[in-house]
Amino acid sequence: MKFPVLRVYTVLYLIFLYAPIALLPVFAFNSSKVIAFPLAGFSTRWFAEMLNDDLLFRAAKATLIIAVSSSILATCLGVLAARASTRFRFPGKGGVMGLIMLPMILPDIIVAMSLLVVLLAMGVNLSLLTVILGHVLICTPFSVAILTSAFQSLDNSLEEAAYDLGETPLSTFRLVILPLVMPGIVSSLLICFTISIDEYVIASFLGGNQTVLSVYIFGQFRFPAKVPAMLALGTILVALSIALLTIAEYFRRRGIAKTGAKDTGGFL
Amino acid sequence: MATTSLFDRVRRSEAASGIALISPTALYAILLLAAPLATVLIYSVMTDGPSVGVIWQLNGENYAKVWTEPIYRAVMLRSLLVSFAVTAVTVLLAYPVAYFVSFNVPASKKSLWLFLITIPFWTSYVIRVFIWKGIILGYNGVINQVLMGVGLTSEPLQAINYNVGAIIITLAHAYAPFAILPIFVSLEKIDRSLLEAGLDLGESRFLTFLRVTLPLSMAGVIAAVMIVFIPTVGDYVTPTLIGGGKVNMIANQIQVEMLKQHRMALGSAIAVSAMLIVCVICLVFLFINRRFLGAQK
């Protein structure tokens, strides 16, 4: 008797979680301007309208530059921190790791405003670069979390064997460790990319005149006539996110299988 | 003696390698996180200048304003209440899901379930919030149409849109995985033989849950509470889109002061006050829990 209750509850909960992204394509393909049931009919006109929007393409380009740069930078920083914290003991580790992981729970607005204050005080012009600085900061904790589990499942004796066979620490890292944690690195890149694409607060505070996709969408929601096209764009973004996440999950699992660890599941 | 000094040397070199390896990431966090946060702290006791930037003049007025003027107090209080409600709703709704995945799903399927739970979290936050507001909870939204279709109401309810309730639902949706994952991890750690022992000793399933499973998973629940509570206090997108400027929370107030009024010092004082209150609440919560958990032993 107990099992079905929980199962039904969990399925209802999943419906609650998926309701928004399930409704998104329904209205993106609906021909009516009014975002409400009953549906008027199937149409791809909002996708066509979206593709004719030059400002949107400029925002998309800015987003892409930011997302690619910040995911690469954050993953590099993540590799260093995750490796250091799983392999070595050193004084002050708890404090340093706490600081690095802090943006994960610190409200984005605090991160954004404190960076803004410093950048303005230093006379730095707001641009794509300043958004990247902020995004690296908030992506790094996620990268560290993913990579820590990748490095943790490494067997230290593999590294020792490489040393015994005459490899230097650097070549050991390149030949033994890196291939084993590569799936974790790919997974981290994809997750950071997804976070950066979706991020709004930092992008709007630190972007200056450079509008990125999330900021553009946010602005367009003020105009009812623009909403359907934004839902079409949203449908594409959600599909892209799900594809990237699925690939990331695949790599994460492969990495765990490679090092022979037990899968505890989850990115966080 | 020789072995100790060798051991010390190795240990020292291990510490040195660790520090060297982590230094780029640590430096980045110090320069772009710790230093800016310290700057905000300093700004909060300075004086706002006529244009952007502050005058370097020590001043306690910002805090006096934030803590006494009704508008700031109202925003602060609203943020905290919304955050409390969101935390309670999110964690209570999440616990059974985490329990189901940990206890009733076969081990090989667990990561698939967790993956399914986290997917919506990673998809565009701005768009998800808009769908809650415009499509699900709106005046012509799905819920109103269902309620009218079933005949429960004859007119669309205004009560579910543009208000605190709508903000709570949207935030509870957004932060769901933050609650589920820590509880799941703590449930996974529970030694299953303890539960069998409970049942063997004649406890009912429910009492075993209450006296064994729940206390052992409290660490996860506490983590979930903090991880949901802290970021929701400062959430910006949801109150802005759903409240439509009528139900501002702290993040909106900070945005107004800093970007529109260019009152950097006052904005900083709001941020510092909010984080201070959050810290105190978290510490009190941890303290109460330690007492509570201590009494359980």
Side-chain angles (χ1 to χ4, degrees):
Chain A
M1 267 312 282
K2 203 170 178 209
F3 289 1
V5 175
L6 264 182
R7 179 175 285 272
V8 167
Y9 173 78
T10 306
V11 170
L12 285 176
Y13 193 86
L14 279 180
I15 292 173
F16 164 66
L17 284 184
Y18 278 86
I21 54 174
L23 285 166
L24 185 59
V26 171
F27 289 102
F29 285 108
N30 181 25
S31 59
S32 168
K33 250 193 180 107
V34 183
I35 311 292
F37 288 107
L39 300 173
F42 181 84
S43 156
T44 53
R45 64 186 270 215
W46 307 119
F47 287 86
E49 187 183 309
M50 179 197 94
L51 292 175
N52 285 325
D53 190 342
D54 284 339
L55 285 173
L56 190 151
F57 275 96
R58 285 202 7 221
K61 199 178 143 203
T63 298
L64 209 60
I65 294 171
I66 292 170
V68 169
S69 327
S70 16
S71 56
I72 291 172
L73 282 170
T75 302
C76 289
L77 293 178
V79 167
L80 294 173
R83 176 69 176 157
S85 78
T86 50
R87 175 67 179 77
F88 300 105
R89 271 181 303 162
F90 50 91
K93 184 159 119 181
V96 170
M97 288 309 287
L99 179 66
I100 292 170
M101 301 304 275
L102 186 62
M104 211 177 208
I105 55 165
L106 201 64
D108 287 347
I109 187 97
I110 304 285
V111 176
M113 68 163 282
S114 60
L115 269 174
L116 181 75
V117 161
V118 170
L119 292 171
L120 289 181
M122 286 170 35
V124 178
N125 281 329
L126 299 179
S127 64
L128 294 188
L129 184 70
T130 47
V131 180
I132 293 172
L133 288 178
H135 277 187
V136 170
L137 206 57
I138 58 157
C139 288
T140 305
F142 288 91
S143 172
V144 173
I146 294 165
L147 288 163
T148 298
S149 67
F151 279 115
Q152 233 159 21
S153 50
L154 274 184
D155 190 348
N156 267 345
S157 57
L158 292 173
E159 194 186 336
E160 281 157 23
Y163 290 145
D164 289 347
L165 292 168
E167 297 290 346
T168 65
L170 204 66
S171 65
T172 307
F173 187 77
R174 193 171 57 85
L175 294 170
V176 179
I177 298 167
L178 204 57
L180 284 172
V181 296
M182 204 55 200
I185 291 176
V186 175
S187 170
S188 155
L189 284 172
L190 294 170
I191 294 284
C192 293
F193 185 84
T194 315
I195 295 172
S196 174
I197 283 187
D198 287 347
E199 205 285 329
Y200 170 81
V201 177
I202 289 172
S204 82
F205 264 66
L206 303 181
N209 297 325
Q210 294 274 3
T211 305
V212 302
L213 267 187
S214 57
V215 176
Y216 183 71
I217 295 171
F218 193 99
Q220 297 292 300
F221 277 147
R222 270 176 303 165
F223 313 112
K226 296 280 187 183
V227 168
M230 289 303 109
L231 296 183
L233 174 63
T235 306
I236 293 173
L237 283 178
V238 167
L240 179 74
S241 295
I242 293 178
L244 289 177
L245 293 168
T246 312
I247 300 169
E249 172 73 2
Y250 167 77
F251 275 103
R252 195 188 61 83
R253 285 197 200 179
R254 218 181 66 172
I256 287 165
K258 240 184 184 175
T259 49
K262 204 170 129 262
D263 188 3
T264 48
F267 287 120
L268 294 173
Chain B
M1 279 304 279
T3 46
T4 6
S5 72
L6 184 69
F7 176 68
D8 270 353
R9 227 163 42 221
V10 170
R11 212 171 62 122
R12 215 173 298 142
S13 93
E14 180 181 311
S17 337
I19 290 170
L21 201 57
I22 206 165
S23 57
T25 317
L27 214 60
Y28 193 89
I30 289 169
L31 287 179
L32 281 112
L33 184 64
L37 289 177
T39 312
V40 165
L41 200 62
I42 296 169
Y43 263 41
S44 69
V45 289
M46 292 298 157
T47 312
D48 274 310
S51 63
V52 184
V54 293
I55 298 169
W56 299 105
Q57 207 165 53
L58 216 58
N59 186 341
E61 232 172 73
N62 301 315
Y63 283 102
K65 245 186 191 162
V66 172
W67 287 83
T68 54
E69 279 189 19
I71 165 173
Y72 299 112
R73 287 173 64 159
V75 167
M76 196 78 86
L77 206 62
R78 182 186 296 130
S79 298
L80 290 173
L81 289 178
V82 166
S83 230
F84 281 138
V86 170
T87 309
V89 169
T90 314
V91 173
L92 285 177
L93 288 180
Y95 196 96
V97 177
Y99 185 91
F100 173 78
V101 178
S102 180
F103 283 81
N104 297 353
V105 168
S108 59
K109 291 264 163 47
K110 279 180 185 172
S111 53
L112 178 69
W113 274 86
L114 291 181
F115 181 58
L116 282 177
I117 288 165
T118 38
I119 279 186
F121 167 73
W122 296 111
T123 56
S124 178
Y125 187 35
V126 171
I127 291 173
R128 267 187 297 145
V129 174
F130 178 79
I131 294 172
W132 275 109
K133 178 204 165 194
I135 300 182
I136 302 179
L137 300 170
Y139 190 74
N140 286 320
V142 174
I143 290 189
N144 266 331
Q145 286 181 330
V146 168
L147 288 180
M148 278 156 58
V150 183
L152 277 173
T153 56
S154 51
E155 266 176 43
L157 292 177
Q158 292 274 18
I160 53 172
N161 198 9
Y162 292 111
N163 63 16
V164 171
I167 293 179
I168 292 172
I169 295 175
T170 311
L171 284 173
H173 178 265
Y175 287 88
F178 276 135
I180 294 174
L181 292 177
I183 298 173
F184 170 79
V185 168
S186 69
L187 286 171
E188 281 292 280
K189 282 188 191 144
I190 295 175
D191 187 349
R192 299 302 197 257
S193 59
L194 290 175
L195 306 182
E196 283 165 27
L199 292 174
D200 286 349
L201 291 170
E203 296 270 45
S204 69
R205 267 183 187 283
F206 181 68
L207 276 178
T208 309
F209 169 78
L210 223 54
R211 292 164 65 151
V212 182
T213 315
L214 190 61
L216 287 176
S217 62
M218 267 325 266
V221 174
I222 292 166
V225 167
M226 312 265 259
I227 296 176
V228 175
F229 178 69
I230 298 171
T232 44
V233 172
D235 194 89
Y236 177 80
V237 174
T238 297
T240 311
L241 273 178
I242 303 243
K246 284 172 223 145
V247 239
N248 277 358
M249 282 174 48
I250 284 173
N252 306 97
Q253 204 61 42
I254 292 175
Q255 192 259 357
V256 167
E257 300 297 346
M258 312 238 3
L259 297 189
K260 298 216 170 109
Q261 313 278 354
H262 297 299
R263 288 192 285 219
M264 298 290 179
L266 188 61
S268 298
I270 298 175
V272 174
S273 305
M275 286 300 104
L276 212 63
I277 294 174
V278 167
C279 275
V280 169
I281 291 174
C282 285
L283 287 176
V284 169
F285 178 73
L286 280 178
F287 179 73
I288 290 172
N289 260 292
R290 187 166 295 168
R291 291 295 292 267
F292 165 71
L293 285 178
Q296 286 272 318
K297 270 178 199 167

